[in-house]
Structures are given as structure tokens and as C-alpha cells.
Amino acid sequence: MSFELFSNLVGAFFTLAIFSFLYKDNPLYQMSEQLLVGISLGYSFVLSYERVFIPFFWQPIVLKHQFILIIPAIIGAFYLFRFSRKLSWLSRYPIAFSMMGTGASVALAMHSSILVQMRQAMVPIENFNLFLIFLGTVTVLLYFFFSKAHTGVYGKFVSIGKWFMMVGFGASFGLTVMARISLLIGRIQFLVNDVFAKIF
Amino acid sequence: MKKTIPLIIVIAGGIVWLLWVFIPHRVMADDFYYKFYMPWARAMAPFAIILGVFSLSMMHTAKIRRRAPKWQYSYFFFAGFIATSLAGFIGGTQKGGLYMWMFENMAMPMSATMFSLLAFYMASAAYKAFRARSAEATVLLLAAIVVMLAQVPIGVKISKYLPNISQWILDVPNLAAKRGIMLGVGLGSVATTLKIMLGIERSYLGGD
């Protein structure tokens, strides 16, 4: 048996172990699930050591003698006090440091989610599609405006937004299902072409 | 000391970050961002990863110690974690080593299969949810069917107009709905970040 076939057989075993959940929850699936969590954690742990710890912690402090970085290292170590009952408040310091970035996200969210979207929405209504987009955007926004009761003519106008959202959710659902189906096709192709075809 | 200083760090740092967006001066762009914040944040990052490893390991240790339901499977978590970590630290992360072999032949097939399983569950959930009990559900179902059929060869065989209709759904009503939602999300996130910056929202600091 070649090494490639052996590797594919291992992959096929775990693929079928996960698929076995379609029948019912079983020990093989449980085992594979926990193994996947463990391997994923180990994978990211080693990768973080190599790509974060060595270049941004070890090399600057030990090799380049940037001793000022010992201060953030100590603050970062405070994360581990999360498990202490008495000293868990120390873990708020590194959290606070990372939360500083929210200041930038005020302006950045305003730019990307509001100003850019508004600029794209405020175009001359030259055809029916552009009119529909304008109508849909306004009615969807009004649908989430709860300071005025959704009754009467206003309520009927606002409910147009609900229809636009239903079409939008349907389209998103369809795209998501197709993405999952393509993954399923990939797994079946792997089983048929790379495993069964080479065995039989 | 326990809550006030972290709050002051968030508020003062938040104002500096806000200024960083609007002031393209060397002091902000270079001294603050590249020389101070990035190296400091990166020096702290490894501990956040260690926290994650500790947290998950402690959870599984407690599960084994308490003989909680399905505790036996926690040994597989440790087996996977220890084997991958050792393979990476001892054998290296290059292609051809045990570390990458485990990732390519164990983790990748399992995670891809896990996601592909969702195709079955989404289909059955959709059947239960949609069953066209209302006009809105019917519209949702129709939009989903058109978009799905337009992506497979059989869709074009049913009607040559199907791909165009699907593209129109994505470009017009879908765009309008997503834009409205996006504007709402934007307003919500600006409000939330302002609440954090002003010290009104403090839940991220935890209790006590």
C-alpha cells in the first residue's frame, strides 16, 4: 500500500466517521469530533508560537533587546489571572488595552457601514431597478424604526420592507445551501476518486 | 484599581484611536500606531492564545474528573492536541512533516465533512420552516429555489432565463434589503462603540 493511499484511507475513515452522524449520534462521531477540536487547537497553538510568539515576543525582547516590550508581556500575562478568583480583575488590563481600538471603530464603522452605503444609495433614479433599490432600502430601514406604530398607510408602506427582506434572506439561504452542497460534492468526489477507485 | 483604571485606559485609548483616524500626522500614524500600539498588542497576543489553551484543557480535565456525560471522549481531545503540538514543535511545520500530514489528512477532511453535513440539516430545517405557510415564507422559498437552481446545469435546462432572474434577485431586492440592514448594523455598532468609549457599556470587563 502506497503512503498516498494510506493517507487517503485515514481521510476517508474520518470523513465516514463524521458522516455517521447522519444516522444517529454515535461513539465514532463523538471521538472524531473531539479529535478535530484537539488537532485544530494544537495546529493553531503551534502556528501561533511560530508566527506570533517568536517574531513579536521572543525576537524583539531576547535578540533585539527591546526590553520595553517586557511591560506589555507582563500585562498580557495578566490574562491568565482569569482563572483566579481573587485576582481575576487583573485580566481586565489586557482586555482594556485591546478595547482601546473601539475608538477607531466609531469612525471606521461610520465610514464603511453608513457613509459608503448612503453614497451608493443616493444615485439618480434613472431606471426601475434603481427605484426598487431605493424603495427597498428606505422601507427596510423604516421597518426597524419602532418609535412610530406600524399602522394605517404608514404600516402598509413599511411592510414593503419585510417583502424585500424575505427575498434577500431567501437568496442568502440559497447561496449558503449551494456552498454546503459543493463541499458535500467535494467529499463524495474524494471518497469515490481518491479512495474507492484506488482500492477496487 | 479594579475597574476604574481599566475604564480610564479604554476611554483615553479610545479617544487616541479616534484621533488616529482623523489625524494623519507622523506622531499618530508612525509613533502611536507602528511604534507603540502594534508591538505592544503583538507582545500580549501569545498570552491570549495560552488562555484559550488553558481554558479548553481545564474544561476537559474537569469533565474527566467529574465523570461528566461523555467524559471518555475528552481523552481524544487531549490526544489530538498533544500529538499535533508535539508534531509541530519537534518535527516542524513544513509540508511533508507529521504536523501538516495530520492537518491535511485528519483535520481538513473532518472539518470539510462537518460543514457539508449542514447541507442535510439545512435542507430538513428549510422543509420544516418554509412549508409555505404564509405569503412571506412562500416568497423566501421561491427566491431560495430560483437562486439554487440557477447555479446548477438543470436550472438552465428548465429555463434559459433562470440565471438572469437569479442575478436580478441578487442585484436588486437582495441588495436593497442588505443595504437597509447594513445601515442599521452600522448605526448600531457606532452606538455600541460610543457606549463603550463613554464607559456606559462595561459588560466586557466582567463582574465584581
Side-chain angles (χ1 to χ4, degrees), chain A residues 5 12 19 22 33 46 56 62 79 83 99 127 131 133-134 139 147 161 171 186 190-191 193:
Chain A
L5 181 60
F19 272 140
L22 286 171
E33 190 189 32
V46 174
F56 302 124
V62 178
Y79 268 126
F83 303 114
M99 289 301 282
N127 55 46
F131 168 72
I133 293 170
F134 173 75
T139 50
S147 298
F190 165 74
L191 286 175
N193 299 335

Side-chain angles (χ1 to χ4, degrees), chain B residues 128-142:
Chain B
K128 284 175 197 161
F130 293 163
R131 278 188 287 183
R133 275 180 293 196
S134 64
E136 289 97 329
T138 313
V139 169
L140 197 149
L141 185 64
L142 282 174

Side-chain angles (χ1 to χ4, degrees), chain A residues 93-167:
Chain A
Y93 283 83
I95 292 170
F97 189 83
S98 60
M99 289 301 282
M100 278 164 59
T102 51
S105 59
V106 173
L108 297 175
M110 185 97 81
H111 175 75
S112 63
S113 299
I114 302 173
L115 296 179
V116 171
Q117 292 297 329
M118 279 172 71
R119 192 191 303 146
Q120 295 297 320
M122 290 178 188
V123 290
I125 300 170
E126 289 167 342
N127 55 46
F128 187 64
N129 282 345
L130 286 171
F131 168 72
L132 281 178
I133 293 170
F134 173 75
L135 179 75
T137 308
V138 171
T139 50
V140 167
L141 272 174
L142 287 175
Y143 186 78
F144 291 106
F145 183 71
F146 299 114
S147 298
K148 186 171 163 57
H150 293 184
T151 50
V153 179
Y154 176 73
K156 280 186 181 137
F157 178 66
V158 162
S159 70
I160 297 170
K162 188 168 64 180
W163 293 93
F164 271 93
M165 278 191 288
M166 285 300 144
V167 176

Side-chain angles (χ1 to χ4, degrees), chain B residues 66-88:
Chain B
R66 274 193 259 118
R67 296 282 190 268
K70 298 178 181 174
W71 62 274
Q72 300 91 336
Y73 301 108
S74 291
Y75 285 118
F76 289 102
F77 159 78
F78 284 114
F81 172 62
I82 293 166
T84 317
S85 302
L86 287 178

Side-chain angles (χ1 to χ4, degrees), chain A residues 56-75, chain B residues 35 39-40 43:
Chain A
F56 302 124
F57 184 92
W58 184 260
Q59 284 177 352
I61 294 174
V62 178
L63 301 181
K64 294 177 189 167
H65 304 297
Q66 294 174 0
F67 296 118
I68 189 78
L69 290 178
I70 291 173
I71 298 170
I74 292 169
I75 298 172
Chain B
K35 286 183 182 160
W40 277 49

